[in-house]
Amino acid sequence: MKSSRIVAQEQYIRSRENPFFKGLIEGHDASRNQAPNGKISRSTSDIIDTRHKKLDSSLEDSVSDILLEPFVRSSPETWSKIAKTTSFSFQSNQSDLSFDMSKINSTKESSLWFLEATEKCNILPDLKSPTIEKSYSINRRKTTLSKIPLPQSAASFYNGFSPQMEIVESCEGIDRLNLYLKARKHDVSLGVPGKFLHAVLGQDTFGVGSIASTIMYAFYLHITDESDLLCTVPVINMKRADLNSHAELKWLLDSCQIDQSSLIFIDEIDLSYYDLFGSLKLVVINGHRLPMRQEALKEAVVEIFNCRKGESIYPWVETVTIGEDCSWCSLVAEKFALTSPKILAGQRFSRILLAGILVDTGNLTSVQCTSKDKYMSTLLINGAGRFGCSGLYQILRYKMYDVSDLKVVDILRKDFKKWATVGKPESAASRSIVSHIGMSSIGISVGQLLAHENTSTQEIKYFQQLEKVRLLMIVSGYYGPEKNFKREILVSAESVELMKNLLTFFNSNASQFPLKVLHRPGLVKEMRAFEVDKITSRKTIERLLEEFGGSSKANGVGLVPD
């Protein structure tokens, strides 16, 4: 479906005596005829003579009742209900509206979520442009935003607080993106016959900007590719299970209506298989080299997108895009703006790119924010919707640190690193012993973590066994009631003997790592909790762990080969 601009000359009426506004205020309009059954069957051509728009006759009474009810001034019951459910103090712009569902019969309720209105815009005869068709659907919100202190905005004033349902306009760009993702995953499942696997692979970081730029740059390469020899696929460099630990990513993908089942994660594709048969071509995005754990595939790299000036790159790579210290998503948005700018008009399509820019630049306030970031965010501002840029950024930041809906295992996996430790062999004929130590960073206190579930200690042990680490250190950093930063650690060892060795090591480094014992009920012998008496960075704790295990930093985050 192709979209086009509609240019129409309209008469601007400033007076509020316009019958249309009067009808909205009083709850009726004498200039229109309404069917007795309450269905909307009128045309907006009575409002603006130069446009002819129709609402689909399939709209049911339930839509009319819900959407038009707030404008009916003649009903005291309606106003009393609104007064009870709506506060005009503006303390929270996201209070949930409650609807009296008893007034909606079962037939209306069952069909409410399947309603779809179609808007057909007929242009003026003298303008040679195609007819535009837009579809709207009514969806129930999957998550509530009432807990998030969103900034005040004009949209919240005029549109009211966050409802339990929303009217969603179709987005051609997202529809094309989902069809592309679904088709490419089908090709991968068949082994990509007769083509090269052209995989776009980002760094092993789980930020919004990294995931968004990987998906969108792969789509850009697909729509600009003129050959039939490449199967361009975005590969998310994280395990699918890790997505559950990142509520901000899940919310963004849901909000943009991107089909998550069509995405391909690193644990769902064997890139080495394609490399073995010489059919792999890699695009490294947001870095000058592949992550350490994928370094064996470096000879398959054919393009590097967004690396810093002066960084050493693979000498055989000819296609290199030097970044400008701006957000990754700004560079991708610029690509679309220069080739197919119309696709950026869709709200959900532009939202995923805008979200990456806002998170990378701290809502355009960080010192790393460039003029290109500001320009592209202005171009993509439709993606913010009713939240505004500040509201969209606030939602993402809140969900980034909100772990109330996560399990203990997902909290620990959210920011997890692992190192390999090589021990001495037991005999001359035996191999060296390779074990692992890990560190999870959390944004809540140790007490909150242990109280998160009834079986928190068992879940910690389960995560330790799942990641095959003999020593797990959980590093907590949070702000207390007095707004002062606190650092706590919880250590879980595979044996009591290993815990004793670690405590001895801590005592020998007490000057740079002073600890105070935290007595927490329910801890087993292999677990200890401490409060760090002075502000200590996570880098310092990592270095101490390396010294304790005599380890060298292993291949990246999450997965470490033996």
Side-chain angles (χ1 to χ4, degrees):
M1 184 188 304
K2 295 184 177 180
S3 61
S4 63
R5 294 180 59 185
I6 297 179
V7 180
Q9 295 180 353
E10 304 174 10
Q11 182 182 2
Y12 176 70
I13 302 176
R14 178 65 179 88
S15 174
R16 293 202 175 188
E17 296 301 324
N18 189 317
F20 172 66
F21 295 107
K22 184 177 181 181
L24 287 179
I25 295 175
E26 296 182 359
H28 68 277
D29 192 346
S31 64
R32 291 184 176 84
N33 296 323
Q34 185 171 352
N37 58 3
K39 292 184 179 180
I40 302 176
S41 61
R42 56 186 179 235
S43 171
T44 55
S45 60
D46 296 331
I47 305 170
I48 302 175
D49 294 333
T50 56
R51 287 188 181 177
H52 306 280
K53 299 180 181 179
K54 292 183 180 180
L55 289 175
D56 197 314
S57 58
S58 63
L59 285 178
E60 298 293 339
D61 297 345
S62 55
V63 180
S64 176
D65 294 341
I66 294 175
L67 297 182
L68 297 181
E69 186 178 4
F71 298 101
V72 180
R73 207 183 251 187
S74 58
S75 174
E77 181 182 358
T78 302
W79 279 107
S80 62
K81 180 170 60 177
I82 295 177
K84 292 179 180 179
T85 58
T86 307
S87 172
F88 292 94
S89 61
F90 292 97
Q91 295 178 354
S92 173
N93 289 342
Q94 294 297 327
S95 302
D96 290 331
L97 285 178
S98 59
F99 296 96
D100 190 359
M101 302 304 290
S102 62
K103 292 185 178 182
I104 304 177
N105 56 40
S106 58
T107 303
K108 297 176 182 179
E109 185 176 4
S110 61
S111 62
L112 178 60
W113 315 117
F114 300 94
L115 296 179
E116 193 172 273
T118 302
E119 179 190 53
K120 297 181 179 179
C121 302
N122 297 325
I123 60 174
L124 293 177
D126 57 337
L127 299 179
K128 296 180 180 180
S129 301
T131 302
I132 301 174
E133 292 185 359
K134 296 179 182 178
S135 63
Y136 299 83
S137 60
I138 301 177
N139 299 334
R140 182 185 293 273
R141 290 188 183 274
K142 293 184 179 180
T143 57
T144 177
L145 304 177
S146 58
K147 299 178 181 179
I148 305 177
L150 296 179
Q152 298 180 12
S153 64
S156 62
F157 179 82
Y158 285 105
N159 296 335
F161 302 113
S162 176
Q164 296 175 352
M165 52 191 172
E166 59 181 347
I167 299 179
V168 180
E169 179 183 350
S170 62
C171 180
E172 180 184 353
I174 288 295
D175 293 340
R176 290 177 58 186
L177 176 62
N178 283 329
L179 289 175
Y180 155 74
L181 293 174
K182 185 176 182 180
R184 295 294 78 77
K185 186 163 187 177
H186 177 70
D187 291 341
V188 170
S189 66
L190 298 178
V192 196
K195 294 185 178 181
F196 289 97
L197 179 65
H198 193 217
V200 179
L201 186 67
Q203 302 301 309
D204 47 4
T205 55
F206 306 153
V208 172
S210 178
I211 305 300
S213 57
T214 300
I215 297 173
M216 303 304 275
Y217 187 62
F219 183 54
Y220 166 79
L221 292 178
H222 166 72
I223 63 178
T224 56
D225 180 30
E226 298 179 355
S227 67
D228 295 331
L229 299 178
L230 300 179
C231 177
T232 305
V233 177
V235 178
I236 311 301
N237 208 350
M238 62 187 290
K239 295 187 291 185
R240 181 176 287 272
D242 291 341
L243 187 62
N244 296 326
S245 303
H246 299 272
E248 72 281 3
L249 288 175
K250 289 184 66 66
W251 179 87
L252 181 61
L253 294 174
D254 288 336
S255 175
C256 297
Q257 294 191 353
I258 294 178
D259 185 10
Q260 298 179 28
S261 63
S262 297
L263 294 175
I264 299 177
F265 292 80
I266 193 63
D267 59 328
E268 298 173 339
I269 186 171
D270 187 2
L271 296 178
S272 60
Y273 169 81
Y274 296 93
D275 184 53
L276 179 64
F277 293 95
S279 60
L280 178 64
K281 295 182 181 294
L282 282 178
V283 177
V284 179
I285 188 171
N286 306 327
H288 66 292
R289 289 179 174 272
L290 284 170
M292 289 296 296
R293 55 180 173 173
Q294 282 117 14
E295 185 68 19
L297 305 174
K298 63 181 180 180
E299 293 184 0
V301 176
V302 295
E303 180 184 352
I304 295 177
F305 179 77
N306 190 23
C307 66
R308 295 181 180 178
K309 187 176 182 180
E311 288 181 329
S312 59
I313 59 177
Y314 304 121
W316 59 85
V317 179
E318 297 180 357
T319 306
V320 179
T321 302
I322 304 297
E324 303 174 8
D325 294 331
C326 61
S327 170
W328 306 330
C329 291
S330 294
L331 294 177
V332 179
E334 184 182 38
K335 293 284 188 181
F336 281 108
L338 295 176
T339 55
S340 53
K342 290 183 180 180
I343 202 171
L344 297 177
Q347 184 177 93
R348 294 193 296 276
F349 191 90
S350 57
R351 173 171 294 180
I352 186 171
L353 290 171
L354 177 63
I357 296 174
L358 296 178
V359 173
D360 291 342
T361 62
N363 197 20
L364 306 176
T365 59
S366 66
V367 294
Q368 291 82 13
C369 181
T370 64
S371 58
K372 180 172 291 188
D373 293 323
K374 296 178 181 179
Y375 176 79
M376 288 302 163
S377 62
T378 304
L379 188 66
L380 303 169
I381 197 169
N382 183 41
R386 62 175 297 175
F387 308 114
C389 287
S390 297
L392 178 61
Y393 174 75
Q394 190 68 21
I395 293 173
L396 295 170
R397 291 289 295 177
Y398 179 87
K399 290 188 171 293
M400 197 177 299
Y401 296 103
D402 181 30
V403 296
S404 58
D405 297 330
L406 299 182
K407 296 181 179 180
V408 170
V409 173
D410 294 328
I411 296 175
L412 298 178
R413 186 184 286 119
K414 190 176 179 68
D415 189 353
F416 175 68
K417 297 182 180 180
K418 187 158 64 173
W419 294 267
T421 305
V422 181
K424 295 181 179 180
E426 297 179 356
S427 62
S430 61
R431 299 176 58 185
S432 299
I433 301 175
V434 179
S435 58
H436 299 90
I437 57 178
M439 186 180 83
S440 289
S441 300
I442 61 176
I444 57 177
S445 65
V446 171
Q448 289 177 302
L449 177 68
L450 295 175
H452 196 75
E453 296 182 39
N454 295 331
T455 59
S456 292
T457 55
Q458 299 178 18
E459 291 295 316
I460 294 173
K461 279 293 185 182
Y462 171 74
F463 177 79
Q464 186 175 356
Q465 297 173 1
L466 190 67
E467 295 295 338
K468 299 178 181 180
V469 292
R470 65 188 183 100
L471 178 65
L472 174 65
M473 179 174 289
I474 303 172
V475 180
S476 165
Y478 67 100
Y479 286 91
E482 298 82 13
K483 303 299 180 181
N484 54 333
F485 185 78
K486 292 186 177 181
R487 177 77 75 192
E488 297 175 349
I489 62 172
L490 175 65
V491 184
S492 176
E494 65 178 0
S495 64
V496 177
E497 181 182 0
L498 180 60
M499 177 61 70
K500 290 181 179 179
N501 294 336
L502 181 64
L503 294 179
T504 302
F505 176 78
F506 283 163
N507 290 332
S508 62
N509 293 273
S511 59
Q512 57 178 323
F513 196 47
L515 299 177
K516 178 182 178 182
V517 177
L518 289 177
H519 298 283
R520 298 296 179 187
L523 291 181
V524 294
K525 295 181 180 179
E526 299 86 7
M527 289 186 181
R528 292 289 186 274
F530 304 93
E531 179 182 353
V532 184
D533 278 352
K534 70 175 184 178
I535 298 179
T536 305
S537 65
R538 291 186 297 175
K539 290 292 184 182
T540 302
I541 299 177
E542 288 182 21
R543 181 177 54 80
L544 290 173
L545 280 176
E546 292 176 3
E547 291 180 5
F548 172 73
S551 62
S552 60
K553 197 164 185 179
N555 303 351
V557 182
L559 290 176
V560 180
D562 291 341

